[in-house]
PDB file of all heavy atoms in Angstrom:
ATOM      1  N   HIS A 168      -0.389  -5.597  -3.131  1.00 98.00           N
ATOM      2  CA  HIS A 168      -0.299  -5.094  -4.508  1.00 98.00           C
ATOM      3  C   HIS A 168      -0.638  -6.222  -5.478  1.00 98.00           C
ATOM      4  O   HIS A 168      -0.500  -7.400  -5.153  1.00 98.00           O
ATOM      5  CB  HIS A 168       1.084  -4.501  -4.812  1.00 98.00           C
ATOM      6  CG  HIS A 168       2.249  -5.413  -4.554  1.00 98.00           C
ATOM      7  ND1 HIS A 168       3.531  -5.085  -4.874  1.00 98.00           N
ATOM      8  CD2 HIS A 168       2.325  -6.662  -4.009  1.00 98.00           C
ATOM      9  CE1 HIS A 168       4.347  -6.068  -4.539  1.00 98.00           C
ATOM     10  NE2 HIS A 168       3.639  -7.032  -4.016  1.00 98.00           N
ATOM     11  N   SER A 170       0.968  -7.047  -7.918  1.00 98.00           N
ATOM     12  CA  SER A 170       2.194  -7.760  -8.325  1.00 98.00           C
ATOM     13  C   SER A 170       2.228  -9.162  -7.706  1.00 98.00           C
ATOM     14  O   SER A 170       2.935 -10.052  -8.215  1.00 98.00           O
ATOM     15  CB  SER A 170       3.437  -6.986  -7.899  1.00 98.00           C
ATOM     16  OG  SER A 170       3.417  -5.677  -8.391  1.00 98.00           O
ATOM     17  N   ARG A 194      -3.649  -2.194   2.501  1.00 97.00           N
ATOM     18  CA  ARG A 194      -2.452  -1.772   3.241  1.00 97.00           C
ATOM     19  C   ARG A 194      -2.878  -1.042   4.498  1.00 97.00           C
ATOM     20  O   ARG A 194      -3.895  -0.328   4.495  1.00 97.00           O
ATOM     21  CB  ARG A 194      -1.579  -0.833   2.391  1.00 97.00           C
ATOM     22  CG  ARG A 194      -0.924  -1.533   1.236  1.00 97.00           C
ATOM     23  CD  ARG A 194      -0.001  -0.606   0.475  1.00 97.00           C
ATOM     24  NE  ARG A 194       0.258  -1.164  -0.853  1.00 97.00           N
ATOM     25  CZ  ARG A 194       0.961  -0.566  -1.792  1.00 97.00           C
ATOM     26  NH1 ARG A 194       1.490   0.621  -1.570  1.00 97.00           N
ATOM     27  NH2 ARG A 194       1.135  -1.142  -2.967  1.00 97.00           N
ATOM     28  N   GLU A 196      -2.714   1.721   5.978  1.00 90.00           N
ATOM     29  CA  GLU A 196      -2.339   3.102   5.681  1.00 90.00           C
ATOM     30  C   GLU A 196      -3.058   4.080   6.595  1.00 90.00           C
ATOM     31  O   GLU A 196      -4.202   3.833   6.969  1.00 90.00           O
ATOM     32  CB  GLU A 196      -2.781   3.460   4.245  1.00 90.00           C
ATOM     33  CG  GLU A 196      -2.109   2.691   3.147  1.00 90.00           C
ATOM     34  CD  GLU A 196      -0.916   3.441   2.583  1.00 90.00           C
ATOM     35  OE1 GLU A 196      -0.492   4.453   3.178  1.00 90.00           O
ATOM     36  OE2 GLU A 196      -0.411   2.990   1.543  1.00 90.00           O
ATOM     37  N   GLU A 203      -5.985   5.201   0.601  1.00 96.00           N
ATOM     38  CA  GLU A 203      -7.001   4.370   1.242  1.00 96.00           C
ATOM     39  C   GLU A 203      -6.322   3.117   1.779  1.00 96.00           C
ATOM     40  O   GLU A 203      -5.224   2.773   1.332  1.00 96.00           O
ATOM     41  CB  GLU A 203      -8.063   3.958   0.210  1.00 96.00           C
ATOM     42  CG  GLU A 203      -9.400   4.654   0.350  1.00 96.00           C
ATOM     43  CD  GLU A 203     -10.156   4.294   1.615  1.00 96.00           C
ATOM     44  OE1 GLU A 203      -9.598   3.649   2.530  1.00 96.00           O
ATOM     45  OE2 GLU A 203     -11.329   4.684   1.701  1.00 96.00           O
ATOM     46  N   GLN A 208      -5.760  -1.802  -7.837  1.00 98.00           N
ATOM     47  CA  GLN A 208      -4.675  -1.613  -8.800  1.00 98.00           C
ATOM     48  C   GLN A 208      -4.973  -2.476 -10.021  1.00 98.00           C
ATOM     49  O   GLN A 208      -5.816  -3.380  -9.958  1.00 98.00           O
ATOM     50  CB  GLN A 208      -3.330  -2.102  -8.226  1.00 98.00           C
ATOM     51  CG  GLN A 208      -2.745  -1.246  -7.137  1.00 98.00           C
ATOM     52  CD  GLN A 208      -1.367  -1.746  -6.697  1.00 98.00           C
ATOM     53  OE1 GLN A 208      -0.978  -2.878  -6.986  1.00 98.00           O
ATOM     54  NE2 GLN A 208      -0.634  -0.911  -5.984  1.00 98.00           N
ATOM     55  N   GLU A 210      -2.494  -4.602 -12.556  1.00 98.00           N
ATOM     56  CA  GLU A 210      -1.141  -4.980 -12.950  1.00 98.00           C
ATOM     57  C   GLU A 210      -1.129  -5.345 -14.433  1.00 98.00           C
ATOM     58  O   GLU A 210      -2.126  -5.836 -14.963  1.00 98.00           O
ATOM     59  CB  GLU A 210      -0.734  -6.231 -12.145  1.00 98.00           C
ATOM     60  CG  GLU A 210       0.728  -6.547 -12.178  1.00 98.00           C
ATOM     61  CD  GLU A 210       1.489  -5.802 -11.077  1.00 98.00           C
ATOM     62  OE1 GLU A 210       0.850  -5.028 -10.329  1.00 98.00           O
ATOM     63  OE2 GLU A 210       2.712  -6.002 -10.977  1.00 98.00           O
ATOM     64  N   PHE A 248      11.798  -0.493  -7.153  1.00 96.00           N
ATOM     65  CA  PHE A 248      10.989  -1.652  -6.778  1.00 96.00           C
ATOM     66  C   PHE A 248      11.881  -2.857  -7.042  1.00 96.00           C
ATOM     67  O   PHE A 248      12.405  -2.988  -8.169  1.00 96.00           O
ATOM     68  CB  PHE A 248       9.730  -1.755  -7.644  1.00 96.00           C
ATOM     69  CG  PHE A 248       8.858  -0.533  -7.578  1.00 96.00           C
ATOM     70  CD1 PHE A 248       9.047   0.514  -8.474  1.00 96.00           C
ATOM     71  CD2 PHE A 248       7.876  -0.421  -6.608  1.00 96.00           C
ATOM     72  CE1 PHE A 248       8.255   1.649  -8.399  1.00 96.00           C
ATOM     73  CE2 PHE A 248       7.078   0.716  -6.536  1.00 96.00           C
ATOM     74  CZ  PHE A 248       7.272   1.752  -7.434  1.00 96.00           C
ATOM     75  N   GLU A 279       1.140  10.101  -8.022  1.00 94.00           N
ATOM     76  CA  GLU A 279       1.782   8.836  -8.417  1.00 94.00           C
ATOM     77  C   GLU A 279       0.699   7.911  -8.925  1.00 94.00           C
ATOM     78  O   GLU A 279      -0.239   7.589  -8.193  1.00 94.00           O
ATOM     79  CB  GLU A 279       2.466   8.199  -7.205  1.00 94.00           C
ATOM     80  CG  GLU A 279       3.766   8.872  -6.848  1.00 94.00           C
ATOM     81  CD  GLU A 279       4.431   8.247  -5.621  1.00 94.00           C
ATOM     82  OE1 GLU A 279       4.039   7.143  -5.218  1.00 94.00           O
ATOM     83  OE2 GLU A 279       5.326   8.894  -5.063  1.00 94.00           O
ATOM     84  N   LEU A 280       0.812   7.496 -10.172  1.00 94.00           N
ATOM     85  CA  LEU A 280      -0.288   6.726 -10.754  1.00 94.00           C
ATOM     86  C   LEU A 280       0.099   5.320 -11.178  1.00 94.00           C
ATOM     87  O   LEU A 280      -0.641   4.368 -10.936  1.00 94.00           O
ATOM     88  CB  LEU A 280      -0.835   7.471 -11.982  1.00 94.00           C
ATOM     89  CG  LEU A 280      -2.060   6.848 -12.616  1.00 94.00           C
ATOM     90  CD1 LEU A 280      -3.266   7.006 -11.710  1.00 94.00           C
ATOM     91  CD2 LEU A 280      -2.344   7.454 -13.977  1.00 94.00           C
ATOM     92  N   PRO A 282       3.535   3.097 -11.328  1.00 97.00           N
ATOM     93  CA  PRO A 282       4.927   2.666 -11.336  1.00 97.00           C
ATOM     94  C   PRO A 282       5.107   1.508 -12.316  1.00 97.00           C
ATOM     95  O   PRO A 282       4.184   0.716 -12.528  1.00 97.00           O
ATOM     96  CB  PRO A 282       5.192   2.213  -9.904  1.00 97.00           C
ATOM     97  CG  PRO A 282       3.930   2.330  -9.174  1.00 97.00           C
ATOM     98  CD  PRO A 282       2.884   2.909 -10.049  1.00 97.00           C
ATOM     99  N   GLY A 307       2.095  -1.271 -12.443  1.00 97.00           N
ATOM    100  CA  GLY A 307       1.083  -1.423 -11.381  1.00 97.00           C
ATOM    101  C   GLY A 307       0.240  -0.160 -11.322  1.00 97.00           C
ATOM    102  O   GLY A 307       0.542   0.760 -10.559  1.00 97.00           O
ATOM    103  N   GLY A 309      -2.483   2.443 -10.472  1.00 96.00           N
ATOM    104  CA  GLY A 309      -3.375   2.740  -9.337  1.00 96.00           C
ATOM    105  C   GLY A 309      -4.767   3.030  -9.875  1.00 96.00           C
ATOM    106  O   GLY A 309      -5.078   4.162 -10.233  1.00 96.00           O
ATOM    107  N   ARG A 312      -6.953   5.625  -8.020  1.00 95.00           N
ATOM    108  CA  ARG A 312      -6.494   6.995  -8.299  1.00 95.00           C
ATOM    109  C   ARG A 312      -6.839   7.402  -9.732  1.00 95.00           C
ATOM    110  O   ARG A 312      -7.146   8.560  -9.991  1.00 95.00           O
ATOM    111  CB  ARG A 312      -4.990   7.109  -8.078  1.00 95.00           C
ATOM    112  CG  ARG A 312      -4.669   7.153  -6.611  1.00 95.00           C
ATOM    113  CD  ARG A 312      -3.314   7.746  -6.376  1.00 95.00           C
ATOM    114  NE  ARG A 312      -2.950   7.584  -4.989  1.00 95.00           N
ATOM    115  CZ  ARG A 312      -1.711   7.567  -4.539  1.00 95.00           C
ATOM    116  NH1 ARG A 312      -0.703   7.703  -5.388  1.00 95.00           N
ATOM    117  NH2 ARG A 312      -1.471   7.428  -3.265  1.00 95.00           N
ATOM    118  N   ILE A 323     -10.383  10.237  -2.258  1.00 95.00           N
ATOM    119  CA  ILE A 323     -10.392   8.799  -2.585  1.00 95.00           C
ATOM    120  C   ILE A 323     -11.331   8.011  -1.666  1.00 95.00           C
ATOM    121  O   ILE A 323     -11.874   6.980  -2.047  1.00 95.00           O
ATOM    122  CB  ILE A 323      -8.942   8.226  -2.525  1.00 95.00           C
ATOM    123  CG1 ILE A 323      -8.840   6.905  -3.286  1.00 95.00           C
ATOM    124  CG2 ILE A 323      -8.454   8.081  -1.095  1.00 95.00           C
ATOM    125  CD1 ILE A 323      -7.421   6.419  -3.492  1.00 95.00           C
TER     126      ILE A 323
HETATM  127  C1  FA5 B 401       3.315  -1.070  -6.173  1.00 94.61           C
HETATM  128  O1  FA5 B 401       2.316  -1.482  -5.582  1.00 94.61           O
HETATM  129  C2  FA5 B 401       4.029  -1.925  -7.173  1.00 94.61           C
HETATM  130  N1  FA5 B 401       3.591  -3.264  -7.074  1.00 94.61           N
HETATM  131  C3  FA5 B 401       3.781  -1.359  -8.565  1.00 94.61           C
HETATM  132  C4  FA5 B 401       4.644  -1.916  -9.645  1.00 94.61           C
HETATM  133  C5  FA5 B 401       4.177  -2.956 -10.422  1.00 94.61           C
HETATM  134  C6  FA5 B 401       5.918  -1.376  -9.893  1.00 94.61           C
HETATM  135  C7  FA5 B 401       4.966  -3.463 -11.448  1.00 94.61           C
HETATM  136  C8  FA5 B 401       6.679  -1.862 -10.899  1.00 94.61           C
HETATM  137  C9  FA5 B 401       6.224  -2.912 -11.689  1.00 94.61           C
HETATM  138  P1  FA5 B 401       3.082   1.342  -5.229  1.00 94.61           P
HETATM  139  O2  FA5 B 401       3.120   0.958  -3.827  1.00 94.61           O
HETATM  140  O3  FA5 B 401       3.729   2.611  -5.610  1.00 94.61           O
HETATM  141  O4  FA5 B 401       3.771   0.180  -6.149  1.00 94.61           O
HETATM  142  O5  FA5 B 401       1.576   1.368  -5.728  1.00 94.61           O
HETATM  143  C10 FA5 B 401       1.254   1.495  -7.084  1.00 94.61           C
HETATM  144  C11 FA5 B 401       0.137   2.518  -7.271  1.00 94.61           C
HETATM  145  O6  FA5 B 401      -0.976   2.094  -6.497  1.00 94.61           O
HETATM  146  C12 FA5 B 401       0.467   3.901  -6.756  1.00 94.61           C
HETATM  147  O7  FA5 B 401       1.131   4.675  -7.721  1.00 94.61           O
HETATM  148  C13 FA5 B 401      -0.900   4.449  -6.474  1.00 94.61           C
HETATM  149  O8  FA5 B 401      -1.512   4.923  -7.656  1.00 94.61           O
HETATM  150  C14 FA5 B 401      -1.652   3.220  -5.995  1.00 94.61           C
HETATM  151  N2  FA5 B 401      -1.646   3.176  -4.524  1.00 94.61           N
HETATM  152  C15 FA5 B 401      -0.666   2.747  -3.695  1.00 94.61           C
HETATM  153  N3  FA5 B 401      -1.027   2.877  -2.402  1.00 94.61           N
HETATM  154  C16 FA5 B 401      -2.271   3.397  -2.422  1.00 94.61           C
HETATM  155  C17 FA5 B 401      -3.206   3.757  -1.401  1.00 94.61           C
HETATM  156  N4  FA5 B 401      -2.945   3.582  -0.114  1.00 94.61           N
HETATM  157  N5  FA5 B 401      -4.401   4.262  -1.784  1.00 94.61           N
HETATM  158  C18 FA5 B 401      -4.679   4.423  -3.097  1.00 94.61           C
HETATM  159  N6  FA5 B 401      -3.881   4.081  -4.096  1.00 94.61           N
HETATM  160  C19 FA5 B 401      -2.668   3.582  -3.769  1.00 94.61           C
END
Side-chain angles (χ1 to χ4, degrees):
H168 55 174
S170 305
R194 291 184 199 176
E196 296 265 11
E203 253 293 11
Q208 289 184 344
E210 194 87 358
F248 302 90
E279 283 179 15
L280 185 70
R312 284 200 189 156
I323 199 169

